[in-house]
Amino acid sequence: MLVVPLHYNESYSQPVYKPYLTVCDGRRICSTYRTTYRVAWREVRREVPQTHVVCCQGWKKRHPGALTCDAICAKPCQNRGVCVRPEQCECAPGWGGKHCHVDMDECRTGVALCSHRCLNTAGSFTCGCPQGLVLGLDRRTCTEGAPEPPTGANILSVAVREAEQEEHALRQEIWELQGRLERLEQWAGQAGAWVRAMLPMPPEELQPEQVAELWGRGDRIESLSDQVLLLEERLGACSCEDNSLGPGLNLNRRPIRNPSRAPAP
């Protein structure tokens, strides 16, 4: 702990007394004063205790105001190693040596890391399997019959096959639509020929008045057709009533009138 002297200026409210004359009891003139305040400055000297860190040999502070010290390693630690004490590195798994520059061979530690083959790599290891076996999900044990994960080539071939199937389906749909279009064109040609045969003149030469007249004729024909259907229904009802009177009566037989007898009024 160190005592650090501080010198600074601070503001404060300074009272100011102003005299003035007023009328007191007995109608006498008295002198008095009133207090006002103004902002003033003053110098302050103070001693403040402050924590100061002094690093030992082999240690240093990251910045002058830091309260901790970090170890110093003249040669930096490699491969994600951390300098934990002066000239001493703490290495990441798979690395060793004074500066974490030596690759540790995990396959020669005497610990069975893989079920079949162990292959050392930089800072780590991988497991291998003989022909006919594949690595399991733990990436250390070999199993039989487990399918290998799909490679990029397999995925690409599946995508190409699906694209070909979609193309074939699209071609089939286009062929069906073309067939429908051809049938519609044939039907339109037949309908046009029938309309030309029914009209008294080509459709291009028809005037609006003639078109309206044709529509009127069509309406009248449709009305007459409805009337004929109504009469046929009534005729059928009458035929049923006559047959119910007896087998000798027939709707087609008409009574013979005597031309000499005049009808009764």
Side-chain angles (χ1 to χ4, degrees), residues 7-79:
H7 301 274
Y8 59 91
N9 294 330
E10 67 177 6
S11 62
Y12 69 100
S13 298
Q14 182 183 24
V16 177
Y17 305 102
K18 292 184 177 182
Y20 70 97
L21 299 176
T22 183
V23 179
C24 299
D25 296 339
R27 299 180 181 276
R28 293 181 300 106
I29 296 176
C30 301
S31 176
T32 182
Y33 64 90
R34 58 185 175 183
T35 305
T36 60
Y37 296 89
R38 66 179 181 182
V39 178
W41 296 87
R42 60 189 174 190
E43 184 179 359
V44 177
R45 295 177 180 269
R46 184 177 300 175
E47 293 182 352
V48 179
Q50 185 177 5
T51 303
H52 184 68
V53 176
V54 179
C55 296
C56 301
Q57 185 178 3
W59 302 80
K60 67 177 180 179
K61 294 190 293 184
R62 295 185 179 180
H63 53 85
L67 300 179
T68 57
C69 298
D70 296 335
I72 300 175
C73 292
K75 187 175 181 180
C77 303
Q78 303 178 17
N79 301 311

Side-chain angles (χ1 to χ4, degrees), residues 7 11 24-25 45 61 72 74 79-80 84 90 113-114 120 124 127-128 137 149 157 171 184 190 196:
H7 301 274
S11 62
C24 299
D25 296 339
R45 295 177 180 269
K61 294 190 293 184
I72 300 175
N79 301 311
R80 304 187 307 278
V84 293
E90 182 177 344
L113 301 176
C114 303
N120 182 51
S124 184
C127 296
L137 297 178
S157 61
R171 290 182 181 275
L184 287 175
Q190 296 175 359
R196 290 178 182 275

Side-chain angles (χ1 to χ4, degrees), residues 8 14 18 44 53 72 76 81-82 90 108 111 116 118 137 143 150 171 186-187 204 216 218 239 242 248 254 260 264:
Y8 59 91
Q14 182 183 24
K18 292 184 177 182
V44 177
V53 176
I72 300 175
V82 180
E90 182 177 344
R108 295 186 179 181
V111 180
H116 289 73
C118 179
L137 297 178
T143 58
R171 290 182 181 275
Q186 294 177 1
W187 179 85
E204 297 81 1
S239 176
D242 292 340
R254 298 181 178 179
S260 61

